């Protein structure tokens, strides 16, 4: 028996239950996910993602993993950037999210170089040294064993390859009161209004707070062996883009 | 990431969104564009300090401000020349006049320009976004501090709520910036009108 506990939002729950609970949240939000993203971040998530895509410096022919890729915002852009000689894998643990992603890609006329994988970030089903770039956007905080996930990402990354972790982080003090009101009052309300599911959005707000801050996450990335790690604060640290390389 | 970079990303998203909406209403042009599916066209606006990369695909195009590989062709144009692209009745000759230079695959550039020409893109609007970006850069330098950031952000966020959600927000400029760049666009327009007048004058002398 494992009596380790972990966070599910602000609650402490048994370690092995988190994955199932996270799955419930994303099954429940999958259909409305894109709309809610726009509403919740007032569209700014597109700016954060766009920035990540530009900094990824993707070239034709590259092989890219968009992990916890959900409905595929990043994967779609990467698909055009790598071209017909490249490959993009959209991976997510959640079948419902992946399904929404897949049909969105078909709508956009994307197919040729895109693959889908239902996979857990903690134990990725890909060969060693396989990808030129790995992105995980707003995914890591949902993973139970973050160290295992980072190790697994490093394993499948090519030497010289780059990992990018885009995730909510610790905002500058000056904006925290407003941010608190927003995420604990407004966010669940929006969730109730538009998705009739305030509990899931309550979880999202709480999980954002429990996620490691900038320095901690950078430390974790160093710990598993990524080199030249750094991070860039976006929107005053509401979100941070972490980068690391495999030597 | 500075507020300047965020504004630049938002402006690029807005441009991409606007172009793709137009393209979706124009299947013929879209089909022509799709034939450039494996090409990348860079557009450098002299004096504005920004290069836009256009990546056509079957549903429109991606627009980026950074591209890691070599574009197939780089078009270097003055903002005035770009404006005239739209103002003139025959867009073609502009390509070869002095204020537009090209490096790389000229044919791709021509095809791309013809597509742009057919599309009812508001060049002034596009330019204003990036001229606004320069104003934002100035703002960013003064207000690196959080207060500056926050003022800016709340303006941005406030505006965005209504429009940004519809498509990648175009209206991220503050009032000062708007003033700045309407003035800049006006100057550009005056310049280009003066140029047109001079060209007409030259033409009449030639005949
Ligand atoms: C907030 S969504 C982000 C989706 C997308 N990357 C985006 O930015 O829009 C988080 C995603 O992480 C996925 N996820 C959660 N735990 C995961 C795990 N252990 N391995 C892989 N994906 C996971 C969820 O299914 C969900 O689709």
């Amino acid at each position: 028996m494992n009596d380790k506990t972990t966070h599910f939002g602000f609650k402490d729950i048994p370690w092995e239950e988190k994955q199932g609970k996270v799955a419930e949240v994303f099954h429940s939000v999958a259909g409305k996910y894109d709309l809610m993203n726009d509403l919740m971040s007032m569209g700014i998530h597109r700016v954060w993602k766009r920035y990540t895509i530009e900094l990824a410096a993707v070239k034709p022919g590259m092989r890219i993993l968009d992990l916890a890729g959900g409905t595929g915002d990043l994967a779609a852009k990467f698909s055009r950037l790598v071209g017909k000689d490249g490959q993009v894998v959209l991976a997510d643990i959640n079948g419902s999210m992946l399904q929404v992603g897949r049909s969105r890609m078909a709508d956009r006329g994307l197919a040729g170089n895109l693959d889908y994988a239902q996979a857990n970030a903690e134990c990725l089903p890909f060969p060693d040294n396989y990808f030129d770039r790995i992105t995980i956007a707003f995914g890591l905080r949902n993973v139970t064993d973050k160290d295992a996930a980072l190790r697994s990402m490093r394993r499948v990354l090519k030497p010289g390859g780059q990992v990018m972790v885009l995730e909510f982080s610790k905002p500058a003090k000056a904006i925290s009161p407003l941010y608190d009101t927003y995420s604990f009052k407004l966010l669940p309300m929006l969730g109730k209004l538009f998705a009739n599911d305030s509990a899931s959005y309550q979880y999202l707000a709480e999980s954002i707070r429990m996620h490691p801050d900038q320095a901690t996450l950078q430390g974790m990335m160093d710990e598993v062996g990524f080199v030249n790690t750094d991070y860039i604060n976006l929107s005053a640290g509401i979100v941070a883009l972490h980068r690391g390389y495999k030597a | 990431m500075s507020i300047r970079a965020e504004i630049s990303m938002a402006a690029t998203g807005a441009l991409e969104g606007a172009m793709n909406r137009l393209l979706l209403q124009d299947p013929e042009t879209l089909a022509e564009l799709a034939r450039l599916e494996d090409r990348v066209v860079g557009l450098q606006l002299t004096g504005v300090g920004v290069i836009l990369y256009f990546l056509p695909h079957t549903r429109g195009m991606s627009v980026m401000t950074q591209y890691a590989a070599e574009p197939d062709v780089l078009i270097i144009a003055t903002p005035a020349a770009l404006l005239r692209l739209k103002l003139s009745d025959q867009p073609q000759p502009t390509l070869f006049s002095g204020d537009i230079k090209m490096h790389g695959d000229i044919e791709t550039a021509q095809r791309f320009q013809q597509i742009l020409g057919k599309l009812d893109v508001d060049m002034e609007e596009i330019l204003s976004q990036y001229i606004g970006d320069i104003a934002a850069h100035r703002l960013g330098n003064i207000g690196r501090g959080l207060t500056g950031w926050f003022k800016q952000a709340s303006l941005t966020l406030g505006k965005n709520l209504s429009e940004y959600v519809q498509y990648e927000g175009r209206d991220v400029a503050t009032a000062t910036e708007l003033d700045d760049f309407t003035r800049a666009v006006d100057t550009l327009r005056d310049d280009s009108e003066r140029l047109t007048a001079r060209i007409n004058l030259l033409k009449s002398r030639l005949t």
Side-chain angles (χ1 to χ4, degrees), chain A residues 28-187:
Chain A
S28 124
V29 302
K32 296 243 167 71
Y33 179 77
D34 293 333
L35 171 71
M36 285 311 295
N37 253 356
D38 275 332
L39 283 173
M40 280 161 46
S41 74
M42 308 189 212
I44 305 293
H45 75 106
R46 292 173 188 274
V47 168
W48 300 327
K49 285 173 183 165
R50 187 171 276 277
Y51 191 64
T52 305
I53 290 159
E54 293 214 345
L55 282 200
V58 170
K59 293 182 185 168
M62 278 187 172
R63 194 182 277 152
I64 310 219
L65 173 63
D66 183 22
L67 185 54
T71 55
D73 280 349
L74 277 79
K77 299 269 182 175
F78 289 145
S79 161
R80 173 59 181 86
L81 281 164
V82 300
K84 58 182 186 317
D85 299 326
Q87 186 194 8
V88 178
V89 179
L90 174 62
D92 200 289
I93 198 170
N94 194 295
S96 307
M97 292 293 280
L98 215 49
Q99 195 51 48
V100 176
R102 200 188 268 265
S103 53
R104 264 186 62 195
M105 298 297 178
D107 286 348
R108 295 191 199 182
L110 296 166
N113 57 12
L114 257 163
D115 291 305
Y116 305 86
Q118 189 166 357
N120 184 349
E122 294 168 15
C123 42
L124 292 168
F126 307 108
D128 293 359
N129 309 321
Y130 193 71
F131 293 104
D132 297 286
R133 300 279 184 274
I134 300 177
T135 53
I136 176 165
F138 306 112
L140 193 63
R141 71 170 186 281
N142 301 300
V143 174
T144 314
D145 192 342
K146 297 179 182 50
D147 290 319
L150 290 169
R151 266 196 306 276
S152 187
M153 286 185 240
R154 188 175 167 281
R155 179 183 67 76
V156 300
L157 192 63
K158 280 184 195 169
Q162 187 189 12
V163 66
M164 303 178 101
V165 182
L166 181 66
E167 191 51 271
F168 287 100
S169 202
K170 193 163 181 184
K173 270 214 184 68
I175 71 163
S176 349
L178 198 102
Y179 187 54
D180 279 350
T181 313
Y182 169 73
S183 45
F184 294 121
K185 301 241 163 73
L186 209 63
L187 232 165

Side-chain angles (χ1 to χ4, degrees), chain B residues 120-136:
Chain B
D120 201 15
V121 197
D122 189 342
M123 286 295 174
E124 280 181 47
E125 161 122 21
I126 293 174
L127 279 182
S128 67
Q129 299 270 5
Y130 290 94
I131 291 163
D133 187 44
I134 297 176

